[in-house]
Each structure stands twice: as structure tokens, then as C-alpha cells.
Amino acid sequence: MTDRRKFLGLLAASPLLAGIPSIGQALAQATSLPGVDNLIARAADALDVFDLEAVARRNIPPAHWGFMATGVDGEETLKANREAYSRYQLRTRRFVDVSKMDMSVDLFGTKFRSPIFLCPLSAQRAFHPEGEIASGKAAQARGQLQVLSTVSSTSVEDVIAARGSPVWFQLYTTNNWDITVKLVKRAEAAGCPVVAVTVDLPAGRNTETVTRLARTDTRTCTSCHAAGGSSPLTRPMFAGNDITGISVSSPSLTWDFIKRLKDVTSMKVLIKGLDSGEDAALAVKNGADGVVVSNHGGRATETGRGTLESLPEVVAAVRGRIPVLVDGGVRRGTDVLKALALGATAVGIGRPYVWGLGAFGQPGVERVLDLLNNELRLAMAGVGARSLREITAASVIRKS
Ligand SMILES: Cc1cc2nc3c(=O)[nH]c(=O)nc-3n(C[C@H](O)[C@H](O)[C@H](O)COP(=O)(O)O)c2cc1C
């Protein structure tokens, strides 16, 4: 096997194939993707997050894998998120003493080890029996921020108790104000200092990949999912509520929601899921304490821009008045650095930590954080930045 891979690697790099890019590319891909027979056996062996993706792919059943991987329609936004990062390159600086490095970030008075945070991802027990508890303990062990979804498979109280420190709460607004207020009060009472309101799914979505992969899944869903199937309304945060007629989001939502929300909570209010300068300016005007430039990991509006492409106009509109966070397509520490250089305060990861979770549980998520933090450290050293403040627009350049 090793010999075959070596041979393919040599062949892919051969100048003989230089004029035939498709064959060269196909072979290069064949050599870079681990096959099922050479998957890593321990989280510690992962060299990048993709090693964990391969193991998670083997472990997670097709319907659940589809739920994680899916974008919407033809998945153009999903691809755009990733492609945006390859349009920027790092601009190196030399002879800077980078022997001591501080990657910490302060968000609303709490210091985190690095600007990398765990995005809210619903129903994590679909990927590993310990779900959000494992992710939470990993985030706690590594000193990173975790944002917990409204439709998590474990309640906010249980996650906070298991990890022993607060998380931020992601809010789906629902179409019922009373239930929304209950969710918000519950998160606040549990100790969440920040609520991130997701606004990018006002009217549902068309997720094709999840449906296609679910069709290939031979298991019987009802043997795990109770009656009601995998509806988000069956999750713990909705327990005890009459969910008749309830939907997790509402098509009639307008900006006054933010003011109403601020009137019922003392948590900081972030808006997650905008990508235009106009909306960023309105967010500040309507009292938001921060924004997350996000397109739900390519799972909301189709044929949108990659979030890295949207980030500069949001940063320009916000003019430093509130923090601007970003997520979508981040797979490398260099990606994190690029987002910081374009003005982000913190950078979220979604699917990569679920790959770690699905591969090895808590140690897998810890490994994802270690890998990305280490890659970020190396990238910072490369551009001569000893702290996040020293990462500036001059640290990157857009490809001509
Ligand atoms: C399986 C899955 C579930 C998600 N669930 C939620 C959610 O409950 N609430 C939310 O605001 N965003 C949710 N998101 C979006 C993430 O918070 C985040 O914006 C996105 O995953 C970042 O992109 P990335 O996966 O490319 O890193 C989900 C994303 C995935 C992949």
C-alpha cells in the first residue's frame, strides 16, 4: 500500500503529466486522501483536521453524515466559503522576535486562549454518544469558547454543569414570543453571558445532500429517534412546552426583535448570520453588542459569497464599535489568521470539530483545537505577529 501511494505521489508530481492537469490532479487527490485501510487510530496521530474527517466519515452513519455535510441546493455557498480562503496569501515579515506569543482574545470581559471558537452545531449526539458534553469538555480543557445551539441534544444546564463553566447560547427565535423568552431566560439563568441570535434561516431551506445520503442509510430511524423523528422541537430546550404550531424560526421577524430581546435579557446580544454592510450598520443601530458574519456554513442562502469575502464590508460598516466574529469554511490556522487580518475579532469552526467528535469524542475535539491553534501560531510567526493586535491588513494580500 505504502509503495503504491509513493508511486502515485511520484506520478502525480511528474512533469510528464504537467500538460494533463485533470490526470495529475486526480492522482494528487488519490495520494492525499487516506483510504479506509490507513485511517489514524488515535486522535493524537491526526496531522490535520482532514485526518479526523476521514475517521468520522467511517464512524458516522450516512444519514447523520449527510446532516453534517449538507449545504443547500447545489452547494455553491458551501464551496464559496472554502474558496474564499485560497484567494488570500500571507505576507511574511522577518527578524521579529516571535519566541513569546500571545494568542489570547478578550470577548465581553472573558479571556479565551485563542480566537478560535466552537460554533453552535445542533444535535451533536448524532455524531457521538457524548455529543455536546464531549465538545464542551474539550473546549473547557483548551480554554476556548463554545456556543451551544438551541437545538442541542443536551440542555444548556447539563452542558454547563459537565464542563464547569459558562457557554454562550445560540437562539433560534421561534415563531412564538413566549417560548422565545422562556429559552432566553433559561439560558441566562444557567449562566450564559451572551446570546447569539441566528437570523439566516427565516424561511426554511433546501438541503439535498442530507436527503440523498439518508436514502442510502439502511438503519431504521425510529429505533433511535422517538416518535416525532428528528424534529428540532423534540430537543431538551423545548421540553415542557406545547410545541403545537411552533417553528424554530419565523419569516416575519424584523429589527425590532433585537430591541424586544434586549428588554428581556441582560445577556449581551449578538446577531449571527448577516453578511452585508447595510445589515451590519443596522445591527449597531438596533443595539446589537456584536455580529457574526456567517451563512450557516453554506446551509442558508444559496449562491452567496464566502464569508471571508463579506467580512471586509461588515468590518467597514461596524467601524470598531462592536466585535465582528466570522465563521464558515475555516479548516486551517492560516484561515484563522486571514480572517483576523481582515478585521475579525474571533473565528468560528463548525464541521471540523464535529469531525473530531465523530472520530474520537472529546480527545478528537481537543486534537482539532490543538492542530488549529498550532497552525495559527506558526502562521503568526510567519507574518511576524506576536499577538492578535499585531495581525493587520498588511499580514495578507489578495491574489492578483
Ligand atoms: C451540522 C450543523 C448543524 C448546525 N446547527 C446550527 C445551529 O443549531 N444553530 C446555528 O446558528 N448554526 C448552526 N450551524 C451553523 C454553524 O453554527 C456555523 O455557522 C457553520 O457550521 C460554520 O461553517 P463550517 O461548518 O464550514 O465551519 C450548523 C452547522 C452544521 C454543519
Side-chain angles (χ1 to χ4, degrees), residues 120 122 149 170 172 198 272 294 296-297 299 327-329 331 350-351:
S122 52
S149 167
Q170 174 269 327
Y172 276 127
T198 297
K272 175 176 184 281
S294 174
H296 219 110
R299 298 156 80 85
D327 70 32
R331 304 291 180 264
R351 293 178 184 87

Side-chain angles (χ1 to χ4, degrees), residues 42 54 62 98 225 300:
R42 303 175 314 151
V98 289
H225 296 281

